Amino acid sequence: MGQASSPFARPAIDGQSLKRLETHYIAPEFYRREDVAERQAKLARIVSNQIVPRLLKLHSEAVPAAPPVKLVIEALAPTSADITGLADIVLGSDLEAAAAYVLVLRDRGLSMDMLFLELIEPTARMLGEMWDRDECDFIDVTLGVARLQKLLSIFNDTYTLLALDERRHVLMAMTPGNQHSFGVKIVERFPLAAGWQVRTELEGTSADIAEIAKNRWFAVVGLTAGSERQLESMRSTIAQIRRESRNQAVGIMVGGPMFTANPALAHDVGADATAPNAPSAVIVAQKLFDLSAAALQGIARA
């Protein structure tokens, strides 16, 4: 009788496969900079020497009776130390080390959904916060986020899809009634740099946005709203996109200050997810792409 396969079997990824993924998850122009390796080493040192000690100090001050940090790190769920550890690795250039790091945590018994929610997306969020504090620049964050995308695709098996680059399209649009386009233009830079094909619509009605999604295949649609007054318009726009989208498994994510304050509001308007900043939005988009790919594969097999 054959031996049952382990639910935590390591993905069959070799160095050449990882190298080939670079063309899908990082815009080529970023590799033309001669100082990339030096910058990555500098950022890794910042994380190790400044960010990690700051978080550990906050841990002990905020929870004086907390158990020793070593015990916290060894707990089942990913901790702040796990997140900063992964950030340290993805700011370097060793994707195999990053994959091995995630495997260690998965071997604790954590599902990929839990690792996404508690480790990978928070790591992207942390990179965005470092960018906000001018501890790293756009290129540094982009390289780190791109590697997080690759980790998701590896563990969700979407790196094996044919014509992967032709499927990673995102439509970014402002909810009708929203007049503040600056945030959209900031967010737009990150998926572009991380290898996505991006179409941005700053005007148009719900019907106009749905028509675009009907005429062209998008893995993800992102909508932004500037205030709660636009939530009803967003809700109806999302419903229309779902009815008419060429990709019937399209993932829809939303953004805006009200969603940062109350992430559960995303599901109230009919979206699949939200993200607190631009780098984490790229990771959420990759997660939605993976879910869409799995759904489409299931339909094809049916």
Side-chain angles (χ1 to χ4, degrees), residues 230-232 234-236 238-239 242 254 259 264-271:
Q230 292 152 14
L231 291 182
E232 189 55 43
M234 175 177 275
R235 185 178 289 108
S236 62
I238 290 172
R242 291 202 189 279
V254 291
F259 299 107
L265 194 59
H267 295 287
D268 291 342
V269 297

Side-chain angles (χ1 to χ4, degrees), residues 10 29 41 53 155 158-159 166 174 188 190 208 245 247 268 282 292 297:
R10 293 173 181 261
E29 58 266 24
F155 287 100
T158 57
Y159 74 98
E166 297 177 5
M174 289 173 43
E188 176 191 48
F190 283 89
D208 294 332
S245 176
N247 174 14
D268 291 342
V282 177
S292 174
Q297 286 176 327

Side-chain angles (χ1 to χ4, degrees), residues 37-49 51 87-88 91-92 127 130 135-137 140-141:
E38 179 183 347
R39 293 169 63 82
Q40 289 172 339
K42 180 179 178 181
L43 261 294
R45 288 195 297 271
I46 289 175
V47 174
S48 297
N49 298 335
I51 306 301
D88 196 347
L91 285 171
L127 294 178
M130 292 175 66
E135 293 170 353
C136 56
D137 70 9
D140 299 316
V141 176

